[in-house]
Amino acid sequence: MNTEEARAIDEALLIDLLNTTPVVDERAIDLLADDADGRDWLSARGGTGSAEELRVCRDLRDDIQRVVRSEASPSSLSRYLRDLSRVPVLTDDALHWVLRVAEDRRLAARVVLAWAGIRESLPGALRPCANDECRLFLLDRSRAGTARWCSMATCGNKMKARRHRARAAGD
Ligand SMILES: [Zn+2]
């Protein structure tokens, strides 16, 4: 796997984790609330699926949601990078930087590093969906940087319809 692929996987992991508290049938749910489901969720994404990893990732999910909603400072995430290092490994074709971290904390570290990378390369692109009844987040890669919805098919159309109804009612 090259660096570019690894980055894409970690960014997808970050978005997935941020979006583990969706609203389904007008009810907020938490995909990590149940222990067995939460551990499966982690295992499916390359984690250890341990109880400790689940604990760390639940905390991180809550913390990183607060940071993206501007309710907490970015430095509140620094504790997830504790005892982490990157070491150079030279292979025949390239120099690779390998993450050294306790296995149960690897997933969380990857998520925080992905978040920090996005903050530098695409400032402001990671944000909550503009539909206030939706609890999902989006990563806006459009050049204009004007995406507002987690998905045009769901929230985008819903919000357009609502504005249209509001305008119609106002006439
Ligand atoms: Zn949405």
Side-chain angles (χ1 to χ4, degrees):
M1 195 191 322
N2 65 35
T3 315
E4 211 50 51
E5 286 165 345
R7 195 205 335 248
I9 288 171
D10 287 357
E11 286 180 1
L13 177 64
L14 162 67
I15 304 295
D16 266 9
L17 184 68
L18 277 168
N19 287 342
T20 50
T21 54
V23 174
V24 177
D25 294 334
E26 300 182 5
R27 215 165 50 90
I29 62 165
D30 180 352
L31 303 178
L32 303 182
D34 177 82
D35 286 350
D37 288 352
R39 292 166 73 156
D40 284 350
W41 191 96
L42 296 167
S43 301
R45 286 160 183 82
T48 62
S50 71
E52 170 65 6
E53 182 179 65
L54 181 57
R55 189 189 62 76
V56 172
C57 285
R58 278 174 181 156
D59 284 354
L60 171 61
R61 191 268 316 276
D62 295 349
D63 284 342
I64 210 161
Q65 284 186 343
R66 277 193 283 270
V67 169
V68 177
R69 290 181 179 127
S70 304
E71 296 166 0
S73 83
S75 62
S76 64
L77 303 177
S78 63
R79 65 190 181 101
Y80 299 99
L81 301 179
R82 220 179 278 151
D83 302 323
L84 176 154
S85 60
R86 262 187 178 149
V87 294
V89 175
L90 191 61
T91 63
D92 286 345
D93 53 330
L95 178 72
H96 302 275
W97 287 88
V98 176
L99 209 57
R100 285 268 169 83
V101 61
E103 279 309 309
D104 286 336
R105 304 183 66 87
R106 176 177 297 272
L107 221 57
R110 283 170 47 197
V111 166
V112 175
L113 292 174
W115 167 83
I118 288 169
R119 186 171 70 144
E120 277 182 26
S121 61
L122 294 166
L126 184 65
R127 49 185 179 264
C129 176
N131 174 4
D132 54 16
E133 290 169 7
C134 173
R135 297 180 70 209
L136 298 181
F137 293 81
L138 62 132
L139 177 57
D140 181 8
R141 294 180 185 281
S142 70
R143 203 175 301 175
T146 52
R148 299 181 62 203
W149 324 109
C150 62
S151 138
M152 199 60 213
T154 55
C155 288
N157 286 331
K158 213 183 287 177
M159 296 302 277
K160 269 191 197 159
R162 195 191 296 173
R163 274 202 305 272
H164 182 78
R165 276 198 306 275
R167 265 200 308 272
D171 286 344

